[in-house]
Amino acid sequence: MKLDADFWDDRYRQNETGWDLGACSPPLKEYIDQLKNKSLKILIPGAGNAYEAEYLFRKGFVNTHIVDVSKEAILSFQKRMPSFPKAQIHHKDFFQLKDAFDLIIEQTFFCALNPKLRSNYVQKMYELLNERGKLVGLLFNIPMNADHPPYGGNKNIYVDLFKTHFEISTLQEAYNSVKPRSGNELFIKLIKL
C-alpha cells in the first residue's frame, strides 16, 4: 500500500476518515488548557482537518503550524479556518519540513506512517524540536495491522523507539480518551534530550 498524497487525498474525498473525531481530542484539549505560554511555536504534523490547531489558535496560540501531504485536508482546514495564517500552513511531506518548534502535537500521524519510517519519525521529531522541546500527544495501544493504517504498537515498543532521543516524562494510558478509543490510547510527553 502506497501511503502517498494521492492515497490521503482520496480518503478525504471519499470521507473515509475514521480517525477524525470532528473536534480536538479530550486528552489534548486538557493538555492545551494547562499551557500558559501563548508564544510557543507549535507544530501539528499530519494535521488532517487540524481540530487541535483550530483549538490552539482560538485559545491564542497564534504561532501554531500545521503540515500535511494531503491537499484535500489543507483546503478543508482553510475553508473552515480562513483567519489561520497561510504562512503557517505547510502542504508538504513532513520529512521535508525544515524549521524549529517548542512543542509538537502528535494526533494520529504516527499510526498512519508505514512502520518502516518509525525511526525516521523519531529522528525528524528530534531535529524539529528546540532544545528541551516537547513531543506531546497520543499513540495507539493496539496490535499492529500488517498491511494498513492505523499501525499500532505498545508501551514497550514506544519506550525502545524513543529512549535514545527523548526523556520519557509521561507514557501512560490516557484516562480521558473518547469512548471508542478508551483503553487504546497512550498519552505521551517526551522531552528532547
Side-chain angles (χ1 to χ4, degrees):
M1 175 176 293
K2 192 172 180 185
L3 301 172
D4 60 5
D6 290 336
F7 172 86
W8 294 110
D9 279 341
D10 190 54
R11 296 289 299 265
Y12 283 100
R13 277 193 291 272
Q14 303 297 324
N15 200 28
E16 294 174 2
T17 55
W19 64 86
D20 191 317
L21 298 178
C24 183
S25 73
L28 292 176
K29 182 179 181 296
E30 185 174 309
Y31 177 78
I32 292 165
D33 286 347
Q34 58 82 39
L35 293 174
K36 305 261 187 280
N37 182 359
K38 303 282 183 170
S39 67
L40 289 171
K41 188 172 181 184
I42 303 170
L43 173 67
I44 302 174
N49 284 314
Y51 297 106
E52 285 73 21
E54 178 181 356
Y55 187 74
L56 282 159
F57 193 72
R58 292 187 191 282
K59 296 274 294 182
F61 294 90
V62 295
N63 202 4
T64 298
H65 294 247
I66 65 169
V67 62
D68 204 294
V69 72
S70 170
K71 187 172 186 175
E72 294 293 324
I74 295 288
L75 291 172
S76 173
F77 177 73
Q78 288 178 310
K79 186 176 181 180
R80 196 176 79 248
M81 286 290 297
S83 62
F84 197 92
K86 290 191 181 357
Q88 292 167 212
I89 300 172
H90 310 279
H91 175 224
K92 62 171 52 179
D93 181 331
F94 161 78
F95 293 103
Q96 303 305 313
L97 190 63
K98 301 211 182 308
D99 209 333
F101 301 91
D102 302 306
L103 173 63
I104 300 178
I105 302 285
E106 168 56 53
Q107 170 67 341
T108 69
F109 177 57
F110 178 87
C111 71
L113 292 173
N114 185 314
K116 293 177 185 171
L117 296 174
R118 288 186 169 183
S119 60
N120 298 19
Y121 169 100
V122 172
Q123 181 63 40
K124 188 65 178 179
M125 288 295 181
Y126 182 84
E127 291 169 9
L128 288 172
L129 282 166
N130 289 322
E131 186 176 341
R132 302 296 290 167
K134 295 178 181 77
L135 172 58
V136 175
L138 297 164
L139 298 175
F140 280 126
N141 186 28
I142 59 174
M144 290 288 288
N145 285 319
D147 61 352
H148 66 279
Y151 298 104
N154 60 51
K155 189 173 185 173
N156 292 335
I157 289 171
Y158 301 142
V159 167
D160 286 345
L161 188 62
F162 288 105
K163 69 182 178 184
T164 58
H165 289 73
F166 292 91
E167 171 191 324
I168 299 173
S169 174
T170 305
L171 178 58
Q172 63 191 33
E173 185 177 312
Y175 65 87
N176 54 352
S177 297
V178 293
K179 193 170 184 179
R181 296 183 185 172
S182 182
N184 293 326
E185 290 183 316
L186 298 172
F187 184 82
I188 60 165
K189 181 174 160 189
L190 311 176
I191 303 168
K192 179 177 175 173
L193 290 173

